[in-house]
Amino acid sequence: MFIVHVQCDRLYFEIPQKQLGVDMLLVGRSDRAAAAQPDQPRGGFGEYGGDEFGERTLIWQRDGDRIILRSPTFSITADSSLAVYRSVEASNYAPIVAIFNVEAYGPDSAAVIDVTRLYTSEVPEFAAIRGRIDERRSYIESAAAFPENVEIQAAQTGIPAPEGGRFGAPQPAQPQANAEAISVLAHWSLVRLPDHPMMPRRFDERVGYFSINQVDFGLEQRAARRQYISRYRLECSDQRVGNLCIPKKQIVYYVDPGTPDEWKPWIRKAITDWQVAFEAAGFKDAIIAKDPPANDTTWSPEDIRHTMIRWLPSTIENAVGPHVSDPRTGEILNGSVRIFQNVLNLQRDWYFTQASQLDPRARSFPMPDSLMGRLLEFVVAHEIGHTLGLRHDQLGSSTYPADSVRSATWVHKMGHSPSIMDYSRFNYVAQPEDHIALEDIVPRIGPYDKFAIMWGDTPIPDAKTPDEERPTLDKWAMEQDSVPWYRFSESNDFGDFGTLTEAVGDADPVWSTTYGFKNIARVMGYIAGATTKPGEDNSDMKEIYDRTVGQWATEATHVVTVIAGAEVQYKSGSQPGPVYKPLARAREVAAMKFLNDNVFRTPSYLISPELSRRIEAEGMINRIVAAQSRVLASVLNDNRMNRLIEEEAVATDKSTVYPLPNMLSDLQNGIWSELSSGRVSIDAYRRELQMVYLTQLNSKLNPPEESSRPAAPPRNPFGRRNIPLSEDVKSELRGELLALRADIRRAIPNAANEETRFHLEAADHRIGDILEPKK
């Protein structure tokens, strides 16, 4: 693409005429870095090899004896044959990254320029460290030129600013005076975008793909927003296997040679697991696993042509699957997965809390490599899905009949969720007597995944434009009407019901949580045996105990979503009916009863003095009530209460809805149920929960002053709108507190002991402060 010259400490590009005015993509990633020390600012730069610190589009232009480097965008567009194209061009004036004097001319007037400063100084669009870069301690390490890309490595040293920002963002605040310098070996891939752009495929909210966004000014009377999905370019070759074709260019994933040997086979299997999905799109062996070439010095894992499964020595309990795509069309150019080593610890803990009632192998630590490898395969396959363009399908597990997840035949054929892209981990609903095969406890590529890849990657030969593909895509998407598990939703504005994370059997959260709680009671009995090891401390016991209680709270919160919940199915204009269908009142009432009976009533099976006395001097009450408080906060969620008000307001038949006053009354009567007894006795767990209830109501009625709290974002992290708590809801909350104070005052003379009486008197006083706060 370019000829590159490294002379002494200078880097020169020799840019042929044919590469001027060509769209290119710059991707910056770290090659080597020092892991961050506590409280050390990173300046926008990650800690591990393979961390991406940015990407942007570039274009080189010639102006006399100067070369100008610009960074264009493709967010607004129009057909070049239309008159409006001139206006669009005038609004797309690309910012200048740098200007270079031509140092010499090569053959055919190729301009030779010194680009060293791009990689060794504070050019924001190239900087790996956000802050002050010391050019005296930064240098070019290597440069390599290939037919379609240039790969540059340079060591950058600098003092990072506290907040680094994204790649190419304005320079942040000044570095801290006492901040220490950091060094990073950074790698930049400069790749020429395809000369013949892939025909993009229109985005459809009914199928879960990442997308690029453009505004086209040449299609309609108004500016038309256009989204195109992110996907690999797959084209059929002349080779066929039955009715499947071998793609002209396969999707190749390389396994990091730094991966521990025992895990490499499982990672290779995670890659090839996706072959069945591409077969649904008509391709054979579309995705394959390879090891990096052993003796090729020109091969680099940071080369954007190579997609890697990177292994990172990190205590982070996670894995991620980012991808890089052509900003013009959405064509995926690179989809590297990054596995942080301690994701194995997370999988171990999840599997223990969710599946040890079924799998005896999980009841002893360490778990066998064969089991941990299977769990790793699941994680990697999920992240590969992201690199293929797929988003989280949180709707999936709610589309199966709830009781199907206890059917060995169903689960063997369909899995307990139709998508590996769902946050539906292990089958915590299944009971030991269900005799489900251990292999079927772990998620795998499912029916939705095959459908989504079919929808996104099947060629439509007769279509010559994205709009000509739409009738076929719409027809495929409407299969969701008859096959519920083909439906997609990552989140929705109506709440969590149906799009729960960490859920199994959530078509009926009350039913599934009933069985989930039975299993948690069993799991509590396995903790000591799994975590007590000669010569080892009790840190594992504390971790597993806390995560088991956390799993209980997660499952309990699933039940809350039934209240003010709705079934969701995204629809296009060709499909009749509502997108959101509110749940029946009877289901909401049953959910609240379950919460009062099984969640807010102290779960005694979670209380284990035998465990707690090995790990702490005190903390049991706080552990249990903190879990209950998490569930209570979900019940009292602002959006949930606002929806209950609106549902009643718009309902033509009021008997079909669960009014907010009824919900609040049921909740309060459950949490304060002791007040109705002739002799009132409230134990320590319930006393603490009741005070938490008052604290949460106080936060609703007397929120902090606006100036003393951060501004709320317009949407929460899952994309739903944060609507302020309505005044109508506040009135109902005040009414509940007035009724509660009257009940408390009637109960005080009937207190069975001093602790209960003092508690009730304190609650009475606290309610007064909430209703009439001191200014």
Side-chain angles (χ1 to χ4, degrees):
M1 185 171 74
F2 296 163
I3 297 174
V4 298
H5 307 272
V6 180
Q7 294 196 354
C8 298
D9 58 350
R10 313 306 295 176
L11 172 65
Y12 297 89
F13 282 175
E14 183 175 329
I15 306 176
Q17 285 281 104
K18 65 180 180 181
Q19 303 298 349
L20 297 176
V22 173
D23 294 327
M24 299 181 183
L25 189 68
L26 178 73
V27 180
R29 290 175 173 160
S30 59
D31 185 289
R32 299 179 189 175
Q37 300 301 313
D39 302 322
Q40 181 179 359
R42 301 303 293 170
F45 171 70
E47 301 179 30
Y48 303 99
D51 280 355
E52 182 176 313
F53 55 82
E55 61 182 79
R56 68 170 51 240
T57 312
L58 298 176
I59 190 169
W60 305 84
Q61 297 175 336
R62 175 85 170 270
D63 182 11
D65 289 333
R66 300 184 301 177
I67 295 293
I68 300 174
L69 178 60
R70 295 181 181 272
S71 180
T73 63
F74 303 96
S75 57
I76 65 173
T77 186
D79 191 290
S80 59
S81 65
L82 301 176
V84 73
Y85 179 75
R86 297 182 63 185
S87 298
V88 169
E89 282 288 283
S91 299
N92 263 339
Y93 190 69
I96 294 173
V97 175
I99 299 175
F100 306 89
N101 292 324
V102 177
E103 306 285 341
Y105 290 98
D108 299 322
S109 299
V112 180
I113 58 174
D114 183 349
V115 297
T116 310
R117 60 189 170 97
L118 291 177
Y119 302 96
T120 60
S121 68
E122 296 173 20
V123 179
E125 292 81 1
F126 281 70
I129 300 170
R130 297 290 176 265
R132 290 294 178 86
I133 295 176
D134 188 344
E135 295 185 55
R136 297 169 300 176
R137 292 186 284 173
S138 302
Y139 62 92
I140 302 296
E141 174 87 8
S142 65
F146 300 97
E148 302 294 332
N149 57 304
V150 171
E151 305 295 322
I152 307 296
Q153 281 191 323
Q156 284 190 359
T157 300
I159 300 176
E163 298 295 335
R166 293 288 296 168
F167 185 68
Q171 287 287 43
Q174 293 297 315
Q176 295 174 349
N178 60 347
E180 296 183 3
I182 63 173
S183 291
V184 53
L185 182 62
H187 188 110
W188 294 263
S189 293
L190 182 60
V191 59
R192 184 173 65 194
L193 293 176
D195 294 334
H196 301 288
M198 177 187 76
M199 188 177 79
R201 178 158 289 184
R202 290 284 297 274
F203 171 85
D204 190 317
E205 68 174 350
R206 294 172 292 177
V207 188
Y209 275 85
F210 293 108
S211 63
I212 62 167
N213 297 293
Q214 296 177 357
V215 177
D216 197 315
F217 288 87
L219 293 176
E220 303 174 6
Q221 292 178 352
R222 61 178 183 174
R225 184 185 178 196
R226 289 288 181 265
Q227 286 180 266
Y228 300 106
I229 67 171
S230 297
R231 59 173 182 152
Y232 279 96
R233 186 191 299 223
L234 286 175
E235 300 169 331
C236 281
S237 70
D238 295 332
Q239 294 178 275
R240 301 196 69 84
V241 179
N243 61 346
L244 303 177
C245 71
I246 304 295
K248 291 180 180 178
K249 182 179 180 181
Q250 293 173 304
I251 305 169
V252 180
Y253 281 76
Y254 291 93
V255 179
D256 188 345
T259 303
D261 289 338
E262 61 267 31
W263 308 132
K264 289 178 181 177
W266 297 100
I267 293 175
R268 294 188 189 101
K269 189 171 184 302
I271 297 167
T272 56
D273 282 345
W274 280 96
Q275 289 182 350
V276 294
F278 285 100
E279 288 175 5
F283 293 97
K284 178 68 174 176
D285 295 335
I287 181 171
I288 60 174
K290 285 187 177 182
D291 292 322
N295 301 309
D296 185 351
T297 58
T298 66
W299 198 96
S300 169
E302 281 72 42
D303 186 336
I304 195 161
R305 298 174 301 166
H306 305 141
T307 284
M308 285 281 293
I309 311 289
R310 298 289 294 259
W311 188 270
L312 304 177
S314 168
T315 57
I316 296 173
E317 296 183 338
N318 199 10
V320 294
H323 63 266
V324 175
S325 60
D326 186 335
R328 306 169 304 177
T329 64
E331 178 184 352
I332 296 175
L333 306 175
N334 177 280
S336 295
V337 172
R338 296 160 60 228
I339 307 167
F340 301 98
Q341 182 160 327
N342 245 27
V343 75
L344 291 172
N345 186 70
L346 180 64
Q347 295 304 306
R348 180 203 72 164
D349 290 2
W350 275 347
Y351 196 75
F352 176 87
T353 60
Q354 297 173 21
S356 59
Q357 78 280 358
L358 302 177
D359 191 346
R361 297 175 299 171
R363 300 173 197 164
S364 179
F365 293 167
M367 295 180 187
D369 283 357
S370 58
L371 173 56
M372 293 304 301
R374 176 67 186 94
L375 304 186
L376 179 62
E377 176 193 352
F378 152 59
V379 172
V380 176
H382 174 95
E383 300 304 337
I384 288 173
H386 287 317
T387 68
L388 298 174
L390 298 181
R391 292 160 54 192
H392 291 131
D393 175 31
Q394 308 293 22
L395 186 69
S397 57
S398 71
T399 60
Y400 280 176
D403 59 358
S404 67
V405 300
R406 291 193 58 194
S407 166
T409 54
W410 176 284
V411 171
H412 181 70
K413 179 181 179 181
M414 305 286 285
H416 58 267
S417 172
S419 176
I420 202 169
M421 304 312 297
D422 192 352
Y423 275 178
S424 186
R425 312 297 183 178
F426 311 115
N427 192 342
Y428 62 78
V429 176
Q431 303 293 293
E433 63 267 24
D434 298 335
H435 304 295
I436 292 177
L438 297 183
E439 176 63 21
D440 296 335
I441 299 172
V442 184
R444 59 179 184 265
I445 308 301
Y448 168 81
D449 305 313
K450 298 172 187 176
F451 167 79
I453 293 295
M454 179 282 296
W455 187 93
D457 289 288
T458 301
I460 305 176
D462 295 335
K464 305 305 179 188
T465 68
D467 285 341
E468 288 181 11
E469 287 190 332
R470 297 197 78 191
T472 299
L473 296 174
D474 184 56
K475 178 183 176 182
W476 291 342
M478 285 197 292
E479 293 180 30
Q480 297 171 344
D481 289 344
S482 57
V483 186
W485 41 87
Y486 287 172
R487 297 172 190 169
F488 165 82
S489 179
E490 188 169 28
S491 64
N492 64 81
D493 282 335
F494 213 89
D496 289 325
F497 181 82
T499 55
L500 286 168
T501 62
E502 317 297 336
V504 175
D506 47 318
D508 188 345
V510 172
W511 182 89
S512 59
T513 303
T514 298
Y515 288 103
F517 281 4
K518 284 185 177 182
N519 284 332
I520 286 176
R522 294 181 176 110
V523 168
M524 284 292 298
Y526 307 141
I527 294 176
T531 59
T532 304
K533 300 295 179 185
E536 299 292 336
D537 63 19
N538 297 308
S539 58
D540 234 10
M541 179 179 290
K542 183 178 189 309
E543 178 178 317
I544 293 297
Y545 188 11
D546 287 343
R547 282 195 160 154
T548 301
V549 175
Q551 176 67 24
W552 177 89
T554 295
E555 294 179 28
T557 305
H558 295 164
V559 176
V560 179
T561 65
V562 175
I563 301 169
E567 296 176 354
V568 59
Q569 180 190 352
Y570 293 143
K571 297 180 178 181
S572 73
S574 54
Q575 294 167 286
V579 170
Y580 302 108
K581 181 182 177 182
L583 299 180
R585 173 185 174 133
R587 295 190 64 182
E588 298 177 276
V589 172
M592 179 54 70
K593 185 177 188 305
F594 179 92
L595 294 171
N596 282 329
D597 293 345
N598 299 281
V599 177
F600 300 134
R601 184 174 295 166
T602 307
S604 58
Y605 54 88
L606 293 179
I607 301 170
S608 175
E610 294 79 10
L611 297 177
S612 66
R613 288 168 183 163
R614 290 186 66 91
I615 62 177
E616 61 197 7
E618 53 82 26
M620 182 60 73
I621 293 176
N622 181 68
R623 175 180 290 106
I624 301 302
V625 175
Q628 293 173 315
S629 176
R630 176 178 154 193
V631 182
L632 178 59
S634 183
V635 175
L636 295 173
N637 173 269
D638 290 0
N639 287 354
R640 190 179 318 283
M641 293 190 288
N642 285 342
R643 284 199 304 275
L644 288 175
I645 290 285
E646 183 163 326
E647 284 179 23
E648 183 182 17
V650 302
T652 54
D653 182 357
K654 306 300 183 185
S655 66
T656 63
V657 298
Y658 189 28
L660 177 66
N662 294 39
M663 187 277 278
L664 292 176
S665 178
D666 291 345
L667 173 66
Q668 187 162 279
N669 289 338
I671 289 180
W672 295 85
S673 61
E674 294 90 344
L675 299 182
S676 61
S677 302
R679 193 165 181 268
V680 181
S681 178
I682 309 174
D683 66 30
Y685 294 95
R686 291 280 287 181
R687 293 198 299 267
E688 192 67 24
L689 176 62
Q690 289 166 2
M691 284 303 185
V692 166
Y693 172 82
L694 295 180
T695 297
Q696 292 197 15
L697 261 60
N698 182 49
S699 70
K700 304 293 180 182
L701 295 174
N702 304 301
E705 295 293 333
E706 293 293 334
S707 59
S708 64
R709 64 178 180 177
R715 287 181 175 263
N716 68 25
F718 294 99
R720 293 181 292 275
R721 290 172 292 177
N722 284 323
I723 301 174
L725 189 65
S726 78
E727 293 300 322
D728 210 1
V729 173
K730 293 178 183 178
S731 297
E732 295 291 347
L733 294 176
R734 291 187 183 95
E736 289 299 318
L737 283 175
L738 287 169
L740 176 60
R741 184 165 63 176
D743 290 342
I744 288 173
R745 288 176 175 176
R746 282 192 294 269
I748 289 174
N750 301 321
N753 50 58
E754 193 174 65
E755 292 90 343
T756 297
R757 180 167 60 83
F758 288 162
H759 166 67
L760 293 176
E761 290 173 345
D764 181 13
H765 180 77
R766 185 107 181 259
I767 292 172
D769 287 344
I770 296 171
L771 294 174
E772 297 179 8
K774 297 179 177 63
K775 299 297 183 183

